[in-house]
Amino acid sequence: MKLILAPMEGLVDVHMRTLLTQDGAFDYCVTEFLRVSDLLLPNKAFYRICPEAHNDWKTPSGTPVHLQLLGSNPELMAENARRGAILGAPVIDVNFGCPSKTVNHNRGGSVLLQDPEEIYQILSAMRQDMPNHVPLTAKMRLGYEDKSLAIENAQAIEAAGASELCIHARTKVEGYKPPAHWEWIAKVKSQVTIPVVANGEIWNLDDYHKCRELSECDNIMLGRGAIANPDLANLIRQPPPQTNKPKNGWAQRLEDLMWMINITMETGNAKFAADRIKQWLAYLKLAYPQADVLFQEVKRYKKTEQMLQKLEDELANLK
Ligand SMILES: Cc1cc2nc3c(=O)[nH]c(=O)nc-3n(C[C@H](O)[C@H](O)[C@H](O)COP(=O)(O)O)c2cc1C
């Protein structure tokens, strides 16, 4: 059984990966996608998307970080995968799930699910150029407009030499709207031999167990559920009887939020620090009622210092 932290552009960056993997509950995590459009990217682009590359591609707690590429030109994807591997990436993953209009317009992400042959060409070229010891993996949705090519796409991914496939159990058109069609993962999984990871709409223990049952997968990727409840992976790993009650209380979350503001400000961007706290609170309120009250208060704040002060006061009131 593996638990994986999902790649999430604009949400799961180096700092969020540091926080969410600190207890060692995830087997690995994945970078935000690195876009390959028309050139061999310079080393600094790889280090920017994955600062952990300077730490042997591991978070401070030792959790491996896989590199995710997004693009469609087979030669360029291969060249960039090779560079990533040479820089030490332990695994190269390819994004066939991104629903963004701009990305899809440039033939990246989920739009490629309309053409299994194109997916095959991209991954085969990458596999051929990459050193043998570095695994190639893929992450797909169930389709673009419908699920009719789900099995063909998975088989193309396997035939091209990928050694693991993560399936987000929705089509591009289904976006992020519930439900996730976990039973479809089982259907696809039965038609390939590589390990499959199930993903989509796991917010609590019940979802986790239901997803495992319906997807017939032991390997599970957590996305927004791990942002809403950073203890979710720990809760899943606890021995029975299991409880949904977060192991760490609200005080710990306040400390996490303050750590996040401070570390983000260290890199010089106060506005980004404030925005990401609002973004995170909007998720945290799904698991912590206190986050909703705080969100209503701080959403009007313009200054990061004001937000930090509020968090400090809130924490002091708890002590
Ligand atoms: C804000 C956001 C950014 C995302 N960025 C990526 C990405 O860079 N690469 C990727 O493969 N999937 C990306 N995803 C999809 C997630 O990895 C995951 O498949 C999806 O959120 C479903 O899982 P969940 O319901 O547990 O959140 C993103 C999702 C969100 C909400």
Side-chain angles (χ1 to χ4, degrees):
M1 166 234 180
K2 279 197 273 184
L3 275 182
I4 298 137
L5 175 60
M8 286 190 270
E9 198 221 358
L11 200 52
V12 181
D13 65 352
V14 56
H15 303 316
M16 192 60 100
R17 289 194 291 271
T18 296
L19 258 184
L20 295 183
T21 65
Q22 65 189 344
D23 296 333
F26 286 107
D27 291 276
Y28 67 83
C29 51
V30 187
T31 64
E32 301 161 272
F33 65 75
L34 179 60
R35 188 120 134 227
V36 173
S37 38
D38 52 8
L39 77 171
L40 173 57
L41 294 162
N43 290 1
K44 66 175 184 213
F46 291 81
Y47 291 125
R48 195 181 316 122
I49 205 79
C50 189
E52 297 98 327
H54 295 294
N55 184 39
D56 197 21
W57 296 77
K58 291 191 175 93
T59 65
S61 67
T63 307
V65 189
H66 297 186
L67 171 67
Q68 186 179 72
L69 300 182
L70 178 147
S72 58
N73 179 313
E75 289 74 37
L76 277 172
M77 287 291 278
E79 276 184 61
N80 282 286
R82 189 174 167 71
R83 173 157 288 180
I86 288 168
L87 293 176
V91 174
I92 310 271
D93 184 62
V94 183
N95 178 321
F96 296 116
C98 182
S100 144
K101 262 201 191 126
T102 325
V103 165
N104 285 184
H105 181 72
N106 292 307
R107 277 208 88 62
S110 61
V111 73
L112 294 164
L113 297 171
Q114 294 172 315
D115 190 350
E117 175 58 25
E118 196 172 354
I119 287 186
Y120 175 82
Q121 295 300 340
I122 296 164
L123 293 176
S124 303
M126 294 173 76
R127 188 59 280 172
Q128 270 173 28
D129 261 26
M130 284 165 56
N132 286 340
H133 69 276
V134 180
L136 174 66
T137 63
K139 180 161 178 282
M140 63 177 257
R141 283 177 177 252
L142 287 170
Y144 189 73
E145 276 171 351
D146 61 43
K147 304 175 183 64
S148 58
L149 292 174
I151 291 171
E152 265 187 75
N153 278 316
Q155 288 174 335
I157 286 167
E158 175 169 45
S163 57
E164 186 178 272
L165 169 63
C166 175
I167 304 179
H168 172 192
R170 280 181 274 240
T171 62
K172 182 263 175 188
V173 170
E174 287 164 349
Y176 293 99
K177 278 197 298 289
H181 305 278
W182 297 321
E183 68 288 354
W184 260 90
I185 300 179
K187 250 191 236 190
V188 177
K189 182 174 179 271
S190 70
Q191 302 300 315
V192 293
T193 60
I194 52 175
V196 170
V197 176
N199 166 241
E201 216 61 36
I202 297 171
W203 298 94
N204 53 44
L205 285 172
D206 289 350
D207 295 339
Y208 168 77
H209 291 296
K210 192 97 192 281
C211 174
R212 274 191 68 159
E213 183 193 330
L214 294 182
S215 69
E216 296 172 16
C217 284
D218 293 333
N219 305 324
I220 302 288
M221 176 181 276
L222 305 177
R224 294 162 301 159
I227 307 294
N229 180 356
D231 274 342
L232 186 54
N234 275 318
L235 296 176
I236 289 171
R237 289 206 185 272
Q238 72 191 311
Q242 294 189 322
T243 158
N244 264 313
K245 195 168 177 306
K247 185 183 86 178
N248 291 309
W250 180 233
Q252 178 63 49
R253 296 289 86 94
L254 288 169
E255 284 180 14
D256 292 345
L257 285 159
M258 288 194 288
W259 179 84
M260 186 62 91
I261 291 195
N262 286 322
I263 193 120
T264 310
M265 296 233 296
E266 267 173 35
T267 58
N269 198 332
K271 161 114 178 55
F272 177 60
D275 288 348
R276 82 175 307 173
I277 293 308
K278 291 178 198 167
Q279 178 195 36
W280 195 8
L281 282 172
Y283 279 107
L284 283 172
K285 68 187 186 186
L286 302 172
Y288 295 85
Q290 303 93 322
D292 195 16
V293 181
L294 190 57
F295 178 73
Q296 297 308 330
E297 172 78 24
V298 305
K299 70 179 181 191
R300 293 188 305 271
Y301 290 4
K302 296 267 185 293
K303 291 219 165 76
T304 313
E305 293 73 17
Q306 201 182 0
M307 194 173 287
L308 204 48
Q309 187 60 54
K310 176 70 190 167
L311 292 169
E312 274 167 18
D313 294 348
E314 183 95 358
L315 187 59
N317 286 340
L318 288 181
K319 287 184 174 163

